[in-house]
Amino acid sequence: MTSAETQPAPVPAPVPAPVPHPSTTAQPAAGDRRRWFALAIVMTAAFMDLVDVTIVNIAIPSIQRDAGATFSQIQWITAGYALAFAAGLITGGRLGDIHGRKRLFLIGIGGFTVASALCGFAANPEMLVASRILQGGMAALMVPQVLSIVHATFPAHERGKVFGLFGAVVGLGAVTGPLLGALLTEWNLFGLEWRPIFLINLPVGIAGLILGSRFITESKAPKALKLDLVGVALVTLGLLMLLYPLTRGRELGWPLWGYVSMAGALVVLAVLVAYERRKAARDGSPLVELSLFKVKSFAAGIAVQTVFGVALGVFFLVWTLYMQFGLGWGPLKAGLTGIPFSIAVSVAAGMSVQALVPRFGRKVLQAGALVMALGVLLYIWESAHFGLSIAPWQMALPLVVMGVGMGLIVAPLTDAILSEVPREHAGSASGLINTVQQMGNALGLGLVSVVFFGVIDDRLPESAQGPAGAAAAGAAFADGFQHALGWVAAVMGAIFLLMFALPGRPAQHVEGAAEDPTPTPEKEPALVR
């Protein structure tokens, strides 16, 4: 299982796949070329999912103008996907273990393709939001099977090469998504405006469905965990009770029911905790393994992962709105502006894992939080100093600083969180890391109403028209951008403090922890999303 969602020029935090159980199907022989076809198919599916996540934000202003979507609907186009994806990730992985990973992969990629068509042909914003939620749900069935299929298909000595290829695909997708989205939107193919960003999935998905049915070998887990549908329902209900008032409250004047709903989300969370305790005692297969939170480093790491997801959710959506609505840039100009950020994340992530963390441990992650906060503060200063005349090259420095900080965090964070987790719980822990990152992302997208649009409402004069109105709107979006980034900088400061609870040396695992010298499914590298 992998994890996201946001980003004009994104590289979200890496999140690991839940541990694949040993396959009930023998691995193909080393000389069997079919396994490489299977690898190409699942890699293409993972690439399609990653690109689809990253392609959307760059086209959001075009969707807003062409489809007449409100800003709360714009938030749900991204947050709805993240919410559905997060809610279904663990269940999608368990369904593959129970009913067959090939079967669930084919169902997922088929459903993802249908949902993409529904997004592309959406008649109104409501249909687009519903289709995106469906798309996220189908991704939750498809994506968890990718690494499980690789594990069942390739012997241990070949997996290093395989995951190296995955890393290349992830890096390519991080740059390709926003640029492809920008180009498809700018070209306005057949007069379809933003719709080709979704329709491009159709030929890829159909080919994956046909070839996957032929070349992927079926596998199941001999002792799969049971489903926890009640847990899924409670998580989804709690998040909806929190997110819906956040996204709609501003437009409706913050009614009383919104505050009641958000308070009720805490009650649902308490019910979830009580139910999960009973579920764990009854059959040992809860959605959330609560005993993991007794491990201080894991509990702190989950908090870091969640809050980091919130920061990314806020930044990437606000960023694209600032560039395209506030500064009046086209999609292509906005997409190209993010390239330095993506490159900086990739380079810093590689250095972090290979050279820095083995030597300096936790200090590297904490330095990343401070460096990213510095980049955010620099971006705020430049936005205020240069105003609406700011150029892409002037944004390069803060984006590179932010990218370096993010790269220092995302690559080693998962290992730091899992380093003191007992091996028998590594699968549950990695699945939970994946899920909370997506939930944090969805929450961040919901908070955009408060930290960004609320400021714009206060700054934007309703009566302004013509060039004066455009200038006032640009200034309002710039003010909202700076205010939202102030919150992001504060969040990075909080992350720095939370990181003191992580192990000083994440690479040094305690006895019985998540990794040991023996090659196991728990040790498979994460697919960055």
Side-chain angles (χ1 to χ4, degrees):
M1 185 183 302
T2 69
S3 139
E5 161 106 11
T6 69
Q7 301 90 286
V11 186
V15 277
V19 178
H21 292 273
S23 172
T24 58
T25 303
Q27 293 173 338
D32 187 355
R33 295 183 178 181
R34 290 169 58 92
R35 72 191 194 284
W36 294 104
F37 286 108
L39 175 64
I41 294 162
V42 296
M43 285 177 65
T44 300
F47 180 81
M48 180 173 68
D49 166 63
L50 177 64
V51 168
D52 190 80
V53 166
T54 61
I55 206 174
V56 171
N57 263 29
I58 205 70
I60 275 179
S62 298
I63 295 173
Q64 197 272 340
R65 287 189 290 261
D66 181 60
T70 65
F71 283 119
S72 68
Q73 288 169 331
I74 288 297
Q75 288 174 269
W76 273 103
I77 289 171
T78 50
Y81 184 102
L83 176 59
F85 189 69
L89 275 172
I90 295 175
T91 299
R94 291 184 185 178
L95 284 171
D97 288 344
I98 296 169
H99 298 291
R101 293 145 186 163
K102 174 181 177 179
R103 178 183 298 178
L104 264 293
F105 176 82
L106 295 178
I107 292 172
I109 195 171
F112 191 89
T113 304
V114 171
S116 297
L118 292 174
C119 289
F121 294 114
N124 51 54
E126 292 80 9
M127 181 177 175
L128 179 56
V129 170
S131 301
R132 283 285 287 169
I133 292 173
L134 175 63
Q135 196 179 39
M138 291 299 103
L141 296 181
M142 174 181 71
V143 173
Q145 317 312 324
V146 173
L147 292 185
S148 294
I149 288 173
V150 169
H151 177 79
T153 304
F154 287 86
H157 70 273
E158 289 185 332
R159 290 182 203 141
K161 181 193 302 183
V162 169
F163 287 111
L165 292 173
F166 264 116
V169 168
V170 166
L172 180 63
V175 177
T176 300
L179 289 181
L180 183 60
L183 289 172
L184 290 175
T185 305
E186 287 270 350
W187 289 339
N188 189 20
L189 299 175
F190 309 108
L192 293 174
E193 300 286 345
W194 48 270
R195 299 177 187 274
I197 69 170
F198 297 111
L199 299 178
I200 195 173
N201 289 334
L202 270 61
V204 179
I206 292 171
L209 191 62
I210 295 172
L211 295 175
S213 63
R214 178 178 179 184
F215 291 106
I216 295 176
T217 301
E218 183 61 281
S219 63
K220 298 179 182 179
K223 295 180 180 179
L225 293 176
K226 296 180 180 179
L227 301 181
D228 183 4
L229 298 181
V230 174
V232 172
L234 289 172
V235 166
T236 306
L237 176 62
L239 283 173
L240 282 173
M241 291 175 67
L242 183 61
L243 287 175
Y244 187 76
L246 280 176
T247 54
R248 290 282 289 158
R250 181 185 63 89
E251 294 181 353
L252 300 176
W254 298 106
L256 177 61
W257 64 260
Y259 294 101
V260 172
S261 177
M262 287 187 282
L266 298 177
V267 177
V268 173
L269 177 61
V271 173
L272 172 66
V273 171
Y275 175 79
E276 291 300 288
R277 284 175 176 162
R278 291 181 55 194
K279 175 77 171 172
R282 186 167 65 246
D283 59 22
S285 57
L287 184 71
V288 180
E289 182 58 62
L290 297 176
S291 64
L292 289 170
F293 290 93
K294 296 178 182 178
V295 180
K296 184 182 72 169
S297 60
F298 178 81
I302 284 292
V304 169
Q305 190 80 5
T306 305
V307 177
F308 195 45
V310 170
L312 296 182
V314 170
F315 174 73
F316 285 113
L317 179 57
V318 166
W319 186 31
T320 195
L321 294 174
Y322 163 66
M323 288 189 291
Q324 296 193 54
F325 280 115
L327 302 179
W329 294 358
L332 185 57
K333 186 175 181 179
L336 291 172
T337 300
I339 291 179
F341 176 84
S342 294
I343 294 174
V345 172
S346 299
V347 172
M351 292 179 58
S352 176
V353 171
Q354 296 174 16
L356 299 177
V357 170
R359 183 175 180 182
F360 300 106
R362 179 184 66 206
K363 294 177 182 178
V364 175
L365 286 86
Q366 291 181 299
L370 294 179
V371 169
M372 190 168 177
L374 176 63
V376 171
L377 293 174
L378 182 59
Y379 210 162
I380 294 172
W381 179 84
E382 287 201 354
S383 176
H385 180 73
F386 295 108
L388 301 184
S389 62
I390 191 171
W393 68 267
Q394 291 167 325
M395 293 185 181
L397 178 59
L399 287 173
V400 167
V401 175
M402 288 180 62
V404 169
M406 184 173 172
L408 294 177
I409 296 172
V410 295
L413 179 58
T414 296
D415 184 56
I417 298 172
L418 291 176
S419 61
E420 295 180 351
V421 171
R423 280 188 70 242
E424 64 268 21
H425 293 309
S428 298
S430 59
L432 189 57
I433 292 171
N434 201 4
T435 299
V436 299
Q437 192 267 345
Q438 293 298 317
M439 290 180 176
N441 191 267
L443 180 58
L445 291 165
L447 286 171
V448 169
S449 285
V450 179
V451 301
F452 181 67
F453 290 122
V455 174
I456 292 175
D457 289 343
D458 294 337
R459 304 286 197 278
L460 192 59
E462 297 181 3
S463 58
Q465 300 291 331
F477 272 83
D479 286 344
F481 176 69
Q482 294 159 27
H483 184 265
L485 259 62
W487 281 96
V488 173
V491 167
M492 298 312 301
I495 288 173
F496 169 79
L497 296 176
L498 285 170
M499 284 177 175
F500 277 106
L502 296 177
R505 294 280 180 179
Q508 296 176 353
H509 299 281
V510 299
E511 183 178 356
E515 294 187 329
D516 63 19
T518 306
T520 64
E522 289 88 346
K523 293 186 64 176
E524 303 298 5
L527 174 60
V528 180
R529 198 169 170 280

